[in-house]
Every structure is written in C-alpha cells, then in structure tokens.
Amino acid sequence: MSEAQYDREAEQSALGGMMLSKSAVWEVMEVVQPGDFYEVRHEQIAAAIVALATAGSPTDPIAVFDHLRATGATGVVEAAYLHQLVEITPSAANAGYYADIVRDRAELRRLAQAASGIAELVRDAEGTPAELVERARGLVDDVSRSTKREIRMIGESLSALYKSLEEKPRFVETPWVDLNRIIGGMREGTLTIVGARPGIGKTALSLQIAAAMAETGTVGYVSLEMSEADLQKRLIAQTARVPMQSLMNNEMMPTHWQMLAPLGAKLEKTRIAVADDLETITQVKSYARSLARRGDLKGFVVDYMQLMTSGKREESRQQEVSGFSRALKILSGDLGVPVIALSQLNRAVEGRKSGEPQLADLRESGSIEQDADLVILLHREEKKAPNDIKLIVAKNRHGERGDVTLKWEGKFARAISRPWSPTLNIPESNLRS
C-alpha cells in the first residue's frame, strides 16, 4: 500500500482524539465512517467508539476495550494499544483535520479499485463502447461511497424513524391538489409511469409536473418524440395561456405578446434541461448522472419509454422495454430523485366497453407494472366529455389508489383543477384501516 493511499499516523490521531473527547467523535464521523480506516483494528476501534457515543457511554480507552471484548474483537485490539493511541495524539481539537486525511486516503484507495475495474471492463469489452463508458462512470461515482457496508439490525434505526414521522414527507407536489390528496406528490427515489394512448395529453401533463419540480432545482427532461422548441411552445401555452395553435403556426397576435411579457423573465429562468437528441437507455442514464453531478437535480422525465432503444440486439421487444423500466427504477434510487417515464398503452383499451385503461394495457412490457412505484393512467372521452381528463392512480406502492377528474384545456395543452369540487374517487377498500 503506497503512502498516498494510507496514512497510519492520521488514523491513529483521529482515533485518539475520539477517545479523548466525545465531541470529537461526531466531528470525525461527519467526515468518515469506520470502513474508511485502512487497518482492520482501526476500523473496529472506530465502530466501537461510535457505538458507545451513540449510547451515551464514555469513549475512553477502558470503555472502548470493554466494548471490544464484549463483541469478541479483542483478539485484534489490545488494551495497551488503545492507551498508546491517546498518548500519541497531540490534541482532540485536531481530530477533524486527521479525519480529512483518512477520508482522502480512503477515496484514493477506492479510486485505485475503480481504475482496476475500468481496466477490466476494457479488457473484457463486453458491451458497446457507450455501455462501457456508463459502467465506468458508475464505478467512479462509487468512489465517494464506502466500500464496506455496515451491518445494522432493523431496530437500531427506529429512533430516527420516529423522529422523521414528526416531519412532513419529502414530496414534490404536482400542480393538482386533488391528485396530491391521493399520492402526496412525487416521492424521491421512485419511478412513476404515466400511461396513455397517443394524443391524450401525457406529454402536456408531464411538462406541467416537470415545471412544478423545477421550482426548487433542475429537472432533466428527455424528449424522444418532440423537439425542444415544441416543448418550449407548450410551456408558454401552459404558463402564459397563449393558444397552442398560434404558437405552432407562428401566428402571434399583439394580445399574445402582452400575455407573455410579464412571464417572459420567469420562463427564461425555468430550470428544465431538455435533451431531444438521445436514443439509447445508456445515453439517457449518462445524461441523468451528468445532471446529478451538478448537485441540484430534483427530478427526471423520459418521454417516452417505447421510443428508446437498448443499442444492442435483444431476444424480444418486450424484454428490451422491460430492461428500460428496470434501469429507470434503479436510476431513481441511485440519484434519489423522482423519475417519471411516459408509456404508450396498447390498443386493447380502445375495444373495451368502458374505454378506461388498465394496468394490463401498458404496452410491450409485463415488468413496467412491477418496477413502477406509481402508475397513473390518463383517460379522455372526447365525444362525451371533451373538457375532462381523468387521472387514474392504478398502482400506488406507498399509498392509496383512486382517480381524479381535472379540467382539460386543450387550447393551452394543460390540465387544471376545476374551480368547483372535482370528481375524487378513492375506492372504499383503500380507506379502511
């Protein structure tokens, strides 16, 4: 192990400071985790100190040794060595400084491991160059994560859960309060599928949701069907209430410019990053990770799944699309943001007497339903109720199912809550305790 990847004195001084002062424990643990220490005995000592401090117990050498003995780790760590760590530590006040060194060395070791992994990827060459680049990026992204997973029993973190129950869930609310009553909003780290037949309004609604998420950060929007200019025109129609027909035909009237003027500055600052030139799932994931590295990603939208390709030969189209939904589900967890994927529905819905879509209508994949945390199906009866659009929550892993009817303003490519009480239908079985 090279000196650049391991500093024994820094590890010893960080541990010594933690045993000299309990406040130093938290200062060090804000920077490193036990698994960041290179020596096995140092990792065990750090874990013992953290366990004692968490329980409110002393963290001096005697207490640490007793804890190690109780856990059967004294075969690696001797009592004399713990006292030695305290004696050679200049001051507990410098523990944070030494912790920074320990963290930096740990990241260098992980970077070296990533480099070896990348070299192996290139050597094996299993996949397209784009796929290998994406895997390599994943290895590099993992550098800042601990290479050793702490084993923790489910009951140990209940106190943190109890505290979190006193706070409001971290949702990004949709523009429709009635839908939020059912789903709460878009939840971090989840995959939402919005399914509909062509022309029903799934792009319009997804753009409205993206605009809501963009109020607090950047939202990635991958458009495989429409150009960036098309999306810009829809955003203008939705926000400034300029008719879509006027925008699409470049027939702006003076009154339209007057309606747009007060909102122009806000629209220009809208933080929706549109990519309309991507094709493969690998490119989509790479783009999402690039946005995430900026540090302010709040959501990601793909319009729509069936237009993507895997970039390689698959046994069937269904298997290929199934791979997309699984990849997007994993992506949502990795990035910790809501991922919304639009999906085409098959023609079976058109032959159904009720005309309403069902989960089974999701096109070209049997796994989309399993991968999704939330599935919202859109339904419009243009002849009977041209001004209505029903949002059917067909699956909600974290809550209730149901549906809500909104007012559809096709002129402005948007759905809005009605000024009167909309149709809000939650099955009775979902309301029982």
Side-chain angles (χ1 to χ4, degrees):
M1 182 61 60
S2 69
E3 184 177 342
Q5 296 180 34
Y6 168 52
D7 190 323
R8 186 182 189 191
E9 292 182 355
E11 291 195 0
Q12 290 175 327
S13 297
L15 294 171
M18 294 166 74
M19 286 188 285
L20 282 171
S21 169
K22 190 176 290 186
S23 62
V25 175
W26 308 121
E27 185 179 358
V28 171
M29 286 299 106
E30 286 180 0
V31 180
V32 299
Q33 296 299 316
D36 291 326
F37 288 87
Y38 176 69
E39 289 194 28
V40 174
R41 59 178 176 175
H42 290 172
E43 178 183 352
Q44 293 180 340
I45 293 169
I49 293 173
V50 172
L52 289 168
T54 302
S57 303
T59 59
D60 58 79
I62 296 175
V64 172
F65 186 74
D66 286 343
H67 182 87
L68 290 169
R69 181 165 51 192
T71 57
T74 50
V76 178
V77 182
E78 298 177 352
Y81 185 67
L82 297 174
H83 288 282
Q84 181 186 349
L85 293 178
V86 172
E87 291 173 1
I88 64 177
T89 300
S91 170
N94 298 327
Y97 170 78
Y98 298 120
D100 287 337
I101 297 176
V102 174
R103 177 202 58 205
D104 291 345
R105 298 297 190 271
E107 290 191 347
L108 285 174
R109 293 195 299 274
R110 288 194 282 271
L111 185 59
Q113 292 174 350
S116 298
I118 292 171
E120 186 175 347
L121 284 175
V122 175
R123 189 165 53 249
D124 296 341
E126 294 182 359
T128 65
E131 290 172 333
L132 294 178
V133 169
E134 177 61 21
R135 292 178 201 166
R137 282 177 174 164
L139 289 173
V140 174
D141 287 343
D142 287 340
V143 166
S144 60
R145 303 172 187 172
S146 176
T147 57
K148 297 183 180 179
R149 183 177 297 276
E150 179 183 358
I151 298 175
R152 185 172 59 190
M153 301 305 169
I154 190 170
E156 294 180 27
S157 58
L158 278 177
S159 59
L161 174 64
Y162 297 152
K163 184 176 180 180
S164 71
L165 292 175
E166 299 174 359
E167 303 171 355
K168 290 184 177 180
R170 299 180 66 178
F171 291 124
V172 179
E173 294 188 347
T174 73
W176 312 288
V177 62
D178 306 291
L179 179 62
N180 295 333
R181 288 173 184 166
I182 300 176
I183 67 172
M186 296 299 159
R187 189 187 296 258
E188 295 178 351
T190 60
L191 173 63
T192 296
I193 301 295
V194 178
R197 290 291 295 154
I200 298 299
K202 56 182 181 293
T203 297
L205 268 66
S206 70
L207 188 58
Q208 286 185 264
I209 295 173
M213 292 191 292
E215 292 289 335
T216 58
T218 298
V219 176
Y221 197 107
V222 175
S223 178
L224 295 104
E225 185 175 36
M226 297 183 184
S227 67
E228 181 179 8
D230 287 339
L231 292 174
Q232 288 172 333
K233 290 176 181 180
R234 279 164 173 75
L235 187 62
I236 291 172
Q238 292 174 356
T239 308
R241 301 187 72 219
V242 175
M244 272 299 300
Q245 185 174 359
S246 299
L247 289 163
M248 298 307 294
N249 296 332
N250 294 341
E251 296 175 346
M252 294 286 285
M253 306 293 289
T255 53
H256 299 155
W257 288 112
Q258 292 172 7
M259 295 168 69
L260 177 58
L263 297 168
K266 180 180 180 181
L267 286 170
E268 290 174 4
K269 294 180 180 179
T270 300
R271 299 163 74 181
I272 300 177
V274 176
D276 58 5
D277 57 349
L278 307 182
E279 295 180 357
T280 69
I281 184 63
T282 299
Q283 292 173 334
V284 170
K285 292 192 298 180
S286 178
Y287 180 62
R289 294 186 189 280
S290 296
L291 289 174
R293 279 190 282 271
R294 293 164 51 97
D296 64 345
L297 187 65
K298 299 299 180 183
F300 195 75
V301 181
V302 178
D303 180 12
Y304 57 92
M305 279 201 301
Q306 283 81 5
L307 289 178
M308 284 193 294
T309 67
S310 63
K312 56 185 178 181
R313 181 175 296 178
E314 298 284 358
E315 292 183 7
S316 68
R317 178 59 178 168
Q318 180 173 337
Q319 184 178 23
E320 187 175 34
V321 176
S322 296
F324 299 158
S325 65
R326 185 58 183 160
L328 293 175
K329 171 58 180 173
I330 294 173
L331 183 69
S332 68
D334 287 347
L335 303 185
V337 301
V339 171
I340 300 168
L342 309 191
S343 177
Q344 196 77 272
L345 300 182
N346 59 43
R347 292 184 178 276
V349 64
E350 297 176 356
R352 192 170 296 124
K353 186 175 182 180
S354 67
E356 291 195 358
Q358 301 173 0
L359 282 174
D361 298 325
L362 289 170
R363 185 177 174 185
E364 292 181 325
S365 176
S367 69
I368 294 179
E369 176 187 348
Q370 285 79 10
D371 294 330
D373 297 282
L374 183 67
V375 177
I376 300 175
L377 305 177
L378 310 183
H379 176 59
R380 282 171 46 206
E381 295 187 39
E382 298 187 59
K383 293 182 179 180
K384 294 182 179 179
N387 297 323
D388 288 351
I389 182 168
K390 181 181 284 190
L391 279 59
I392 303 168
V393 181
K395 178 183 178 181
N396 187 0
R397 195 189 304 276
H398 303 292
E400 301 167 340
R401 292 178 294 109
D403 59 70
V404 57
T405 300
L406 305 175
K407 182 179 180 181
W408 174 247
E409 292 189 333
K411 183 178 182 181
F412 304 124
R414 69 178 188 177
I416 61 173
S417 295
R418 294 181 178 279
W420 60 89
S421 297
T423 303
L424 179 61
N425 176 31
I426 301 174
E428 184 180 351
S429 59
N430 290 338
L431 298 178
R432 294 171 184 166
S433 59

